[in-house]
Amino acid sequence: MRQFELIAPCHFGLEAVLKREILDLGYEISKVEDGKVSFWGDEEAVAYANMFLRTAERILLKVGEFKACTYDELFEGTKALPWEEYIPENGKFWVKKASSIKSKLFSPSDIQSIMKKAMVERMKQKYHRERFEEDGVSYPVRVSLMKDIVTVGIDTTGVSLHKRGYRKLQSKAPISETLAAALIMLTPWKKDRILVDPFCGSGTFPIEAAMMACNIAPGMNRSFLAEDWINLIPRKHWYNALEEAQDLVHMEESLDLQGYDIDPEVVKNARENATAAGVDHLIHFQQREVAKLRHPKKYGFIITNPPYGERLEEKEMLPGLYRQIGEVYEKLDAWSMYLITSYQDAERYIGRKADKNRKIYNGMIRTYYYQFLGPKPPKRREGETR
């Protein structure tokens, strides 16, 4: 099978989590950069990466890389790429997105239009045509310029991978599915441990945890753009990936996953999202304010995305809210707490310094993942349940 270099963008600060996922799938890493991980894979890898990676935003098929400091160099570099090896004669192709960091070429619209012209010129030469109908399958191109190095890829995913297909309804400030999955993976939580999100919003943390516990592949209930690229990827690879994903599902009935929110409408929406994901019977959602969070068992986890105070009217309530979080956590026996927030006084009002602190970008907002580590539970004897 043909080998490709594939590029998987992710949230800044979570490259190590994605790298581990790719290695677990059995693929070789070629490069790790800020906000993306590149790896080698065959035709099958395109389907499997889209189906199984929980923390990637999309999968790009790398066409090439070159240096360009002028628009002439951008045109010639783009024209030199073997577009005919990827895009058929009737394919629809355009530069969907261009980004530029620390490069001499910085206008996205100019980059897009010049690269499109160069692609057309290349295709004219190779297909011996003056005009292209572009009435076939879509091959959207994404390009990034970093310090004048142009990296060009074709998007195999389409709608971003964070769209699992279950979140029809969302709260005011939802956390994305890919980010929630990555944050859970950064904790030692396992399916036999309690997980509570007292600000559950759309229910994303407990839903993603349930999907992990039951081995439900994140791409099982959606489609991907490259499914129609029969010139590059035989359909059998998509069928095989879905069949394997279905075979791997194992519903865990004994999970202790809980989501609370003070807004009853938000709780209703979270339940509906969990139903769409097929895990509603595994999660207990309830209207409850954070101050009333209690649990009799030890060694549980709080993993949550509390209000940041991005809106002015919220800022006044934050000190009291984070003080409540600290007081509730203090009363829980041997629990760990992980929370992501941009609120810089979080530790101050929680009342203790986090054991670990990781900087992560949630969209354009710089946030911190505060990690308060509880003790590890004692090892269980064979046959024991916790």
Side-chain angles (χ1 to χ4, degrees):
M1 280 193 282
R2 185 176 174 184
Q3 288 290 308
F4 302 113
E5 187 172 12
L6 303 172
I7 303 169
C10 64
H11 284 272
F12 284 93
L14 296 173
E15 299 83 4
V17 182
L18 176 55
K19 177 184 175 182
R20 188 168 72 240
E21 271 204 286
I22 293 168
L23 290 172
D24 287 346
L25 274 183
Y27 301 119
E28 179 187 349
I29 303 294
S30 57
K31 193 187 296 184
V32 178
E33 303 168 87
D34 287 345
K36 62 184 177 182
V37 180
S38 301
F39 60 102
W40 297 105
D42 54 19
E43 299 160 358
E44 185 182 75
V46 176
Y48 275 71
N50 275 294
M51 181 66 65
F52 289 100
L53 291 178
R54 297 185 188 278
T55 63
E57 295 300 310
R58 62 184 64 251
I59 304 298
L60 307 178
L61 193 161
K62 185 175 177 180
V63 178
E65 195 169 84
F66 57 89
K67 186 173 183 179
C69 298
T70 67
Y71 285 116
D72 284 341
E73 290 175 344
L74 178 66
F75 182 91
E76 293 302 328
T78 303
K79 186 180 173 184
L81 296 175
W83 293 105
E84 69 283 356
E85 294 181 12
Y86 303 96
I87 303 173
E89 197 170 346
N90 70 335
K92 181 181 180 182
F93 58 96
W94 74 105
V95 182
K96 184 175 178 69
K97 185 174 181 182
S99 62
S100 178
I101 300 173
K102 298 179 181 176
S103 297
K104 295 179 181 67
L105 307 180
F106 54 82
S107 166
S109 59
D110 289 339
I111 292 166
Q112 288 169 295
S113 63
I114 286 167
M115 289 186 69
K116 169 70 175 186
K117 289 174 185 174
M119 292 169 69
V120 170
E121 286 304 309
R122 171 79 182 203
M123 303 276 274
K124 280 181 180 179
Q125 291 177 3
K126 296 299 177 178
Y127 287 118
H128 308 292
R129 293 187 58 168
E130 283 301 311
R131 190 168 176 275
F132 295 93
E133 296 298 331
E134 296 193 49
D135 56 358
V137 176
S138 295
Y139 296 80
V141 173
R142 289 177 175 252
V143 58
S144 64
L145 280 72
M146 170 62 80
K147 297 180 180 178
D148 301 322
I149 300 299
V150 185
T151 304
V152 185
I154 307 177
D155 180 17
T156 73
T157 302
V159 177
S160 172
L161 288 176
H162 82 269
K163 298 281 190 180
R164 316 283 207 223
Y166 67 75
R167 201 162 77 179
K168 316 294 184 192
L169 302 161
Q170 58 188 39
S171 56
K172 292 178 184 175
I175 192 165
S176 78
E177 294 87 326
T178 47
L179 179 55
L183 295 178
I184 295 169
M185 289 180 184
L186 283 172
T187 79
W189 176 80
K190 295 289 185 289
K191 61 187 178 183
D192 62 343
R193 307 279 290 276
I194 304 153
L195 187 153
V196 177
D197 181 359
F199 302 94
C200 73
S202 302
T204 313
F205 275 125
I207 291 172
E208 288 293 319
M211 290 176 69
M212 288 181 200
C214 299
N215 218 8
I216 299 172
M220 267 183 62
N221 296 311
R222 55 159 292 165
S223 60
F224 307 98
L225 191 62
E227 288 180 48
D228 293 324
W229 294 3
I230 55 175
N231 62 312
L232 285 177
I233 305 158
R235 286 192 186 276
K236 66 178 181 180
H237 297 314
W238 299 99
Y239 298 144
N240 291 343
L242 178 57
E243 187 177 342
E244 186 169 328
Q246 290 169 337
D247 288 344
L248 288 171
V249 174
H250 177 71
M251 297 308 266
E252 295 283 348
E253 300 296 339
S254 59
L255 298 177
D256 192 345
L257 305 173
Q258 302 175 29
Y260 305 132
D261 202 283
I262 198 170
D263 186 337
E265 191 64 27
V266 166
V267 174
K268 178 175 174 287
N269 291 347
R271 283 198 190 103
E272 291 184 23
N273 289 338
T275 300
V279 295
D280 53 304
H281 60 297
L282 303 175
I283 306 169
H284 173 67
F285 287 108
Q286 184 180 347
Q287 180 191 0
R288 182 188 288 190
E289 58 184 288
V290 66
K292 294 183 178 177
L293 173 57
R294 302 282 187 276
H295 205 292
K297 293 184 180 178
K298 300 176 69 168
Y299 308 117
F301 283 74
I302 293 174
I303 305 180
T304 192
N305 174 40
Y308 296 178
E310 292 302 314
R311 292 184 288 273
L312 287 174
E313 62 269 23
E314 285 182 349
K315 287 191 183 295
E316 293 180 3
M317 59 170 268
L318 290 186
L321 180 65
Y322 280 79
R323 193 176 290 113
Q324 280 185 341
I325 293 171
E327 289 169 355
V328 163
Y329 177 56
E330 187 69 27
K331 292 173 184 175
L332 293 167
D333 191 358
W335 279 46
S336 299
M337 179 168 69
Y338 296 78
L339 58 89
I340 182 170
T341 180
S342 65
Y343 185 44
Q344 295 187 348
D345 287 330
E347 291 171 302
R348 173 186 169 191
Y349 289 109
I350 286 172
R352 58 176 282 189
K353 190 170 179 60
D355 299 291
K356 292 183 179 179
N357 182 3
R358 192 183 191 107
K359 183 166 69 175
I360 294 168
Y361 279 84
N362 184 4
M364 298 303 293
I365 303 171
R366 184 172 68 177
T367 63
Y368 294 92
Y369 194 38
Y370 294 105
Q371 302 169 57
F372 301 88
L373 310 180
K376 292 181 181 179
K379 289 187 177 180
R380 287 179 292 172
R381 297 193 186 106
E382 193 172 341
E384 268 187 343
T385 57
R386 186 171 299 127

